[in-house]
Amino acid sequence: MKLFITRDVSPSDVCFLIRDELGRDKYTAVMKRRKRSMRGVVNNIVRLNILDENKSLVARLRQLPVAGVNSFTLKTDKTAATLVVLMTNNMVQCRFYGNNWRILGDVISKNFSIVDVDNAQICNHIKHPLGCELEIADAQNELICLMTALCVNMINTVDKREVQVV
């Protein structure tokens, strides 16, 4: 199955639109508003709610602010995992916790694959000029693969603030 991810730049809270092979809207990634703490300080936790075509909440993604590391928690009704992305000067390291997956390929250019411990392909992520293509081998992994792709697409790999993803 294939999904196509495009960035929504409208002034709404929608960050990403996800369509199926036929071009129909399948999921929407909506940024949850940041709440103020009791001391009036805004937390830097980015939260995305993944809604299906009926606008029902099907998954949650949260990016935790850790210095020098992009840490994401991915939760659905059935599964949960953590993705930690460490960016250094010459490479990017990605680690999953909560499953036995690995990311192979170039995360910076957003062309990579997700494989399991037996090197069986779980999904393939390809960057296109207008968005990304996500080819998922098994439908039961659809939401976790989608959230992993959204995490990678949220990583800022450009210096200009006005062209950063989120």
PDB file of all heavy atoms in Angstrom, residues 11 23 29 32 40 52 63 65 68 72 77-78 80 82 85 93-94 102-103 107 111 117 120-121 164-166:
ATOM      1  N   PRO A  11      -2.950  28.458   7.221  1.00  0.00           N
ATOM      2  CA  PRO A  11      -2.866  28.958   8.595  1.00  0.00           C
ATOM      3  C   PRO A  11      -3.597  28.086   9.621  1.00  0.00           C
ATOM      4  O   PRO A  11      -3.612  28.404  10.791  1.00  0.00           O
ATOM      5  CB  PRO A  11      -3.496  30.349   8.511  1.00  0.00           C
ATOM      6  CG  PRO A  11      -4.301  30.351   7.277  1.00  0.00           C
ATOM      7  CD  PRO A  11      -3.698  29.353   6.351  1.00  0.00           C
ATOM      8  N   GLY A  23      -5.564   9.142  -4.369  1.00  0.00           N
ATOM      9  CA  GLY A  23      -5.637  10.574  -4.128  1.00  0.00           C
ATOM     10  C   GLY A  23      -6.685  10.992  -3.117  1.00  0.00           C
ATOM     11  O   GLY A  23      -6.921  12.179  -2.925  1.00  0.00           O
ATOM     12  N   ALA A  29      -2.628  15.142   9.908  1.00  0.00           N
ATOM     13  CA  ALA A  29      -1.818  15.371  11.100  1.00  0.00           C
ATOM     14  C   ALA A  29      -2.076  16.798  11.572  1.00  0.00           C
ATOM     15  O   ALA A  29      -1.792  17.754  10.859  1.00  0.00           O
ATOM     16  CB  ALA A  29      -0.345  15.163  10.803  1.00  0.00           C
ATOM     17  N   LYS A  32      -1.442  19.941  17.936  1.00  0.00           N
ATOM     18  CA  LYS A  32      -2.196  20.266  19.142  1.00  0.00           C
ATOM     19  C   LYS A  32      -1.585  21.514  19.739  1.00  0.00           C
ATOM     20  O   LYS A  32      -0.364  21.656  19.808  1.00  0.00           O
ATOM     21  CB  LYS A  32      -2.111  19.097  20.121  1.00  0.00           C
ATOM     22  CG  LYS A  32      -3.029  19.214  21.284  1.00  0.00           C
ATOM     23  CD  LYS A  32      -2.984  17.940  22.097  1.00  0.00           C
ATOM     24  CE  LYS A  32      -3.855  18.089  23.301  1.00  0.00           C
ATOM     25  NZ  LYS A  32      -3.753  16.930  24.184  1.00  0.00           N
ATOM     26  N   GLY A  40       3.522  29.937  33.682  1.00  0.00           N
ATOM     27  CA  GLY A  40       3.390  30.804  32.528  1.00  0.00           C
ATOM     28  C   GLY A  40       4.419  30.579  31.441  1.00  0.00           C
ATOM     29  O   GLY A  40       4.479  31.313  30.476  1.00  0.00           O
ATOM     30  N   ASP A  52      -8.224  10.183  11.190  1.00  0.00           N
ATOM     31  CA  ASP A  52      -8.575   9.479   9.962  1.00  0.00           C
ATOM     32  C   ASP A  52      -9.564  10.300   9.144  1.00  0.00           C
ATOM     33  O   ASP A  52      -9.855  11.457   9.484  1.00  0.00           O
ATOM     34  CB  ASP A  52      -9.109   8.076  10.262  1.00  0.00           C
ATOM     35  CG  ASP A  52     -10.411   8.081  11.055  1.00  0.00           C
ATOM     36  OD1 ASP A  52     -10.998   9.161  11.263  1.00  0.00           O
ATOM     37  OD2 ASP A  52     -10.846   6.987  11.460  1.00  0.00           O
ATOM     38  N   GLN A  63       6.930  15.079  20.165  1.00  0.00           N
ATOM     39  CA  GLN A  63       8.359  15.332  20.080  1.00  0.00           C
ATOM     40  C   GLN A  63       8.803  15.959  21.387  1.00  0.00           C
ATOM     41  O   GLN A  63       8.287  17.001  21.801  1.00  0.00           O
ATOM     42  CB  GLN A  63       8.681  16.262  18.910  1.00  0.00           C
ATOM     43  CG  GLN A  63      10.155  16.532  18.757  1.00  0.00           C
ATOM     44  CD  GLN A  63      10.469  17.473  17.605  1.00  0.00           C
ATOM     45  OE1 GLN A  63       9.588  18.135  17.084  1.00  0.00           O
ATOM     46  NE2 GLN A  63      11.725  17.529  17.219  1.00  0.00           N
ATOM     47  N   PRO A  65      11.543  17.789  23.852  1.00  0.00           N
ATOM     48  CA  PRO A  65      12.709  18.672  23.717  1.00  0.00           C
ATOM     49  C   PRO A  65      13.890  18.180  24.548  1.00  0.00           C
ATOM     50  O   PRO A  65      13.935  18.347  25.751  1.00  0.00           O
ATOM     51  CB  PRO A  65      12.181  20.007  24.239  1.00  0.00           C
ATOM     52  CG  PRO A  65      11.126  19.626  25.224  1.00  0.00           C
ATOM     53  CD  PRO A  65      10.516  18.348  24.729  1.00  0.00           C
ATOM     54  N   GLY A  68      20.156  18.483  21.599  1.00  0.00           N
ATOM     55  CA  GLY A  68      20.960  17.752  20.649  1.00  0.00           C
ATOM     56  C   GLY A  68      20.346  16.485  20.092  1.00  0.00           C
ATOM     57  O   GLY A  68      20.950  15.799  19.290  1.00  0.00           O
ATOM     58  N   PHE A  72      11.021  11.200  19.760  1.00  0.00           N
ATOM     59  CA  PHE A  72       9.608  11.153  19.423  1.00  0.00           C
ATOM     60  C   PHE A  72       8.960   9.942  20.080  1.00  0.00           C
ATOM     61  O   PHE A  72       9.533   8.853  20.065  1.00  0.00           O
ATOM     62  CB  PHE A  72       9.423  11.016  17.907  1.00  0.00           C
ATOM     63  CG  PHE A  72      10.050  12.108  17.108  1.00  0.00           C
ATOM     64  CD1 PHE A  72      11.341  11.975  16.619  1.00  0.00           C
ATOM     65  CD2 PHE A  72       9.353  13.267  16.826  1.00  0.00           C
ATOM     66  CE1 PHE A  72      11.920  12.979  15.859  1.00  0.00           C
ATOM     67  CE2 PHE A  72       9.926  14.280  16.066  1.00  0.00           C
ATOM     68  CZ  PHE A  72      11.214  14.133  15.591  1.00  0.00           C
ATOM     69  N   ASP A  77      -3.612   2.816  19.356  1.00  0.00           N
ATOM     70  CA  ASP A  77      -4.367   2.010  20.323  1.00  0.00           C
ATOM     71  C   ASP A  77      -3.674   0.687  20.622  1.00  0.00           C
ATOM     72  O   ASP A  77      -3.797   0.152  21.713  1.00  0.00           O
ATOM     73  CB  ASP A  77      -5.771   1.725  19.791  1.00  0.00           C
ATOM     74  CG  ASP A  77      -6.636   2.967  19.781  1.00  0.00           C
ATOM     75  OD1 ASP A  77      -6.319   3.923  20.517  1.00  0.00           O
ATOM     76  OD2 ASP A  77      -7.636   2.984  19.041  1.00  0.00           O
ATOM     77  N   LYS A  78      -2.940   0.153  19.643  1.00  0.00           N
ATOM     78  CA  LYS A  78      -2.358  -1.172  19.779  1.00  0.00           C
ATOM     79  C   LYS A  78      -0.866  -1.176  20.053  1.00  0.00           C
ATOM     80  O   LYS A  78      -0.343  -2.124  20.619  1.00  0.00           O
ATOM     81  CB  LYS A  78      -2.625  -1.988  18.515  1.00  0.00           C
ATOM     82  CG  LYS A  78      -4.089  -2.184  18.240  1.00  0.00           C
ATOM     83  CD  LYS A  78      -4.310  -2.906  16.940  1.00  0.00           C
ATOM     84  CE  LYS A  78      -5.802  -2.990  16.650  1.00  0.00           C
ATOM     85  NZ  LYS A  78      -6.072  -3.617  15.371  1.00  0.00           N
ATOM     86  N   ALA A  80       3.052   1.099  20.759  1.00  0.00           N
ATOM     87  CA  ALA A  80       3.766   2.308  21.179  1.00  0.00           C
ATOM     88  C   ALA A  80       5.247   2.085  20.911  1.00  0.00           C
ATOM     89  O   ALA A  80       5.751   0.971  21.028  1.00  0.00           O
ATOM     90  CB  ALA A  80       3.533   2.599  22.648  1.00  0.00           C
ATOM     91  N   THR A  82       9.259   4.464  20.611  1.00  0.00           N
ATOM     92  CA  THR A  82      10.004   5.711  20.713  1.00  0.00           C
ATOM     93  C   THR A  82      11.055   5.717  19.616  1.00  0.00           C
ATOM     94  O   THR A  82      11.728   4.713  19.392  1.00  0.00           O
ATOM     95  CB  THR A  82      10.674   5.832  22.094  1.00  0.00           C
ATOM     96  OG1 THR A  82       9.669   5.795  23.102  1.00  0.00           O
ATOM     97  CG2 THR A  82      11.455   7.122  22.211  1.00  0.00           C
ATOM     98  N   VAL A  85      16.453  10.326  17.284  1.00  0.00           N
ATOM     99  CA  VAL A  85      17.282  10.701  16.146  1.00  0.00           C
ATOM    100  C   VAL A  85      18.381  11.627  16.657  1.00  0.00           C
ATOM    101  O   VAL A  85      18.097  12.699  17.179  1.00  0.00           O
ATOM    102  CB  VAL A  85      16.447  11.405  15.049  1.00  0.00           C
ATOM    103  CG1 VAL A  85      17.333  11.783  13.878  1.00  0.00           C
ATOM    104  CG2 VAL A  85      15.287  10.536  14.612  1.00  0.00           C
ATOM    105  N   GLN A  93      21.940   9.219  13.284  1.00  0.00           N
ATOM    106  CA  GLN A  93      21.674   7.901  13.853  1.00  0.00           C
ATOM    107  C   GLN A  93      20.237   7.859  14.325  1.00  0.00           C
ATOM    108  O   GLN A  93      19.784   8.774  15.025  1.00  0.00           O
ATOM    109  CB  GLN A  93      22.607   7.619  15.020  1.00  0.00           C
ATOM    110  CG  GLN A  93      24.052   7.505  14.641  1.00  0.00           C
ATOM    111  CD  GLN A  93      24.932   7.219  15.848  1.00  0.00           C
ATOM    112  OE1 GLN A  93      24.469   7.261  16.984  1.00  0.00           O
ATOM    113  NE2 GLN A  93      26.184   6.932  15.594  1.00  0.00           N
ATOM    114  N   CYS A  94      19.527   6.795  13.953  1.00  0.00           N
ATOM    115  CA  CYS A  94      18.130   6.618  14.349  1.00  0.00           C
ATOM    116  C   CYS A  94      18.003   5.314  15.127  1.00  0.00           C
ATOM    117  O   CYS A  94      18.510   4.274  14.685  1.00  0.00           O
ATOM    118  CB  CYS A  94      17.231   6.563  13.123  1.00  0.00           C
ATOM    119  SG  CYS A  94      17.268   8.041  12.121  1.00  0.00           S
ATOM    120  N   ARG A 102      14.833  -0.895  12.320  1.00  0.00           N
ATOM    121  CA  ARG A 102      15.987  -0.044  12.048  1.00  0.00           C
ATOM    122  C   ARG A 102      15.681   0.805  10.824  1.00  0.00           C
ATOM    123  O   ARG A 102      14.893   0.415   9.964  1.00  0.00           O
ATOM    124  CB  ARG A 102      17.234  -0.877  11.734  1.00  0.00           C
ATOM    125  CG  ARG A 102      17.727  -1.700  12.867  1.00  0.00           C
ATOM    126  CD  ARG A 102      18.989  -2.472  12.502  1.00  0.00           C
ATOM    127  NE  ARG A 102      18.705  -3.461  11.455  1.00  0.00           N
ATOM    128  CZ  ARG A 102      19.488  -3.693  10.411  1.00  0.00           C
ATOM    129  NH1 ARG A 102      20.595  -3.006  10.248  1.00  0.00           N
ATOM    130  NH2 ARG A 102      19.183  -4.607   9.525  1.00  0.00           N
ATOM    131  N   ILE A 103      16.327   1.939  10.746  1.00  0.00           N
ATOM    132  CA  ILE A 103      16.207   2.800   9.573  1.00  0.00           C
ATOM    133  C   ILE A 103      17.505   2.697   8.790  1.00  0.00           C
ATOM    134  O   ILE A 103      18.592   2.902   9.338  1.00  0.00           O
ATOM    135  CB  ILE A 103      15.914   4.258   9.968  1.00  0.00           C
ATOM    136  CG1 ILE A 103      14.523   4.355  10.589  1.00  0.00           C
ATOM    137  CG2 ILE A 103      16.033   5.177   8.764  1.00  0.00           C
ATOM    138  CD1 ILE A 103      14.116   5.747  10.995  1.00  0.00           C
ATOM    139  N   VAL A 107      18.507   9.663   5.977  1.00  0.00           N
ATOM    140  CA  VAL A 107      17.413  10.360   6.642  1.00  0.00           C
ATOM    141  C   VAL A 107      17.411  11.839   6.277  1.00  0.00           C
ATOM    142  O   VAL A 107      16.347  12.454   6.143  1.00  0.00           O
ATOM    143  CB  VAL A 107      17.503  10.162   8.173  1.00  0.00           C
ATOM    144  CG1 VAL A 107      16.469  10.989   8.901  1.00  0.00           C
ATOM    145  CG2 VAL A 107      17.338   8.696   8.514  1.00  0.00           C
ATOM    146  N   ASN A 111      15.225   9.833   2.026  1.00  0.00           N
ATOM    147  CA  ASN A 111      15.122   8.622   1.225  1.00  0.00           C
ATOM    148  C   ASN A 111      15.682   7.478   2.061  1.00  0.00           C
ATOM    149  O   ASN A 111      16.901   7.336   2.185  1.00  0.00           O
ATOM    150  CB  ASN A 111      15.899   8.751  -0.093  1.00  0.00           C
ATOM    151  CG  ASN A 111      15.269   9.758  -1.012  1.00  0.00           C
ATOM    152  OD1 ASN A 111      14.098   9.668  -1.338  1.00  0.00           O
ATOM    153  ND2 ASN A 111      16.048  10.754  -1.401  1.00  0.00           N
ATOM    154  N   VAL A 117      14.415  -6.819  12.304  1.00  0.00           N
ATOM    155  CA  VAL A 117      15.653  -7.471  12.707  1.00  0.00           C
ATOM    156  C   VAL A 117      16.124  -8.502  11.675  1.00  0.00           C
ATOM    157  O   VAL A 117      17.313  -8.783  11.566  1.00  0.00           O
ATOM    158  CB  VAL A 117      15.490  -8.099  14.113  1.00  0.00           C
ATOM    159  CG1 VAL A 117      14.573  -9.315  14.081  1.00  0.00           C
ATOM    160  CG2 VAL A 117      16.824  -8.427  14.723  1.00  0.00           C
ATOM    161  N   ALA A 120      13.810  -7.707   6.792  1.00  0.00           N
ATOM    162  CA  ALA A 120      12.596  -7.696   5.968  1.00  0.00           C
ATOM    163  C   ALA A 120      12.102  -6.254   5.874  1.00  0.00           C
ATOM    164  O   ALA A 120      12.056  -5.533   6.875  1.00  0.00           O
ATOM    165  CB  ALA A 120      11.521  -8.582   6.572  1.00  0.00           C
ATOM    166  N   GLN A 121      11.759  -5.846   4.669  1.00  0.00           N
ATOM    167  CA  GLN A 121      11.320  -4.463   4.437  1.00  0.00           C
ATOM    168  C   GLN A 121       9.947  -4.234   5.065  1.00  0.00           C
ATOM    169  O   GLN A 121       8.988  -4.923   4.769  1.00  0.00           O
ATOM    170  CB  GLN A 121      11.267  -4.185   2.946  1.00  0.00           C
ATOM    171  CG  GLN A 121      10.801  -2.810   2.618  1.00  0.00           C
ATOM    172  CD  GLN A 121      11.870  -1.994   1.945  1.00  0.00           C
ATOM    173  OE1 GLN A 121      12.958  -2.471   1.695  1.00  0.00           O
ATOM    174  NE2 GLN A 121      11.568  -0.772   1.655  1.00  0.00           N
ATOM    175  N   GLN A 164      11.640  26.055   7.412  1.00  0.00           N
ATOM    176  CA  GLN A 164      11.663  24.846   8.215  1.00  0.00           C
ATOM    177  C   GLN A 164      10.277  24.229   8.245  1.00  0.00           C
ATOM    178  O   GLN A 164       9.270  24.905   8.116  1.00  0.00           O
ATOM    179  CB  GLN A 164      12.134  25.145   9.639  1.00  0.00           C
ATOM    180  CG  GLN A 164      13.613  25.457   9.701  1.00  0.00           C
ATOM    181  CD  GLN A 164      14.074  25.736  11.105  1.00  0.00           C
ATOM    182  OE1 GLN A 164      13.280  25.852  12.022  1.00  0.00           O
ATOM    183  NE2 GLN A 164      15.371  25.829  11.279  1.00  0.00           N
ATOM    184  N   VAL A 165      10.233  22.913   8.453  1.00  0.00           N
ATOM    185  CA  VAL A 165       8.988  22.155   8.365  1.00  0.00           C
ATOM    186  C   VAL A 165       8.012  22.538   9.452  1.00  0.00           C
ATOM    187  O   VAL A 165       6.893  22.930   9.206  1.00  0.00           O
ATOM    188  CB  VAL A 165       9.278  20.646   8.400  1.00  0.00           C
ATOM    189  CG1 VAL A 165       7.994  19.867   8.407  1.00  0.00           C
ATOM    190  CG2 VAL A 165      10.110  20.269   7.215  1.00  0.00           C
ATOM    191  N   VAL A 166       8.394  22.420  10.694  1.00  0.00           N
ATOM    192  CA  VAL A 166       7.487  22.730  11.808  1.00  0.00           C
ATOM    193  C   VAL A 166       8.195  23.621  12.786  1.00  0.00           C
ATOM    194  O   VAL A 166       9.335  23.493  13.020  1.00  0.00           O
ATOM    195  CB  VAL A 166       7.017  21.453  12.516  1.00  0.00           C
ATOM    196  CG1 VAL A 166       6.168  21.785  13.716  1.00  0.00           C
ATOM    197  CG2 VAL A 166       6.258  20.571  11.587  1.00  0.00           C
TER     198      VAL A 166
END
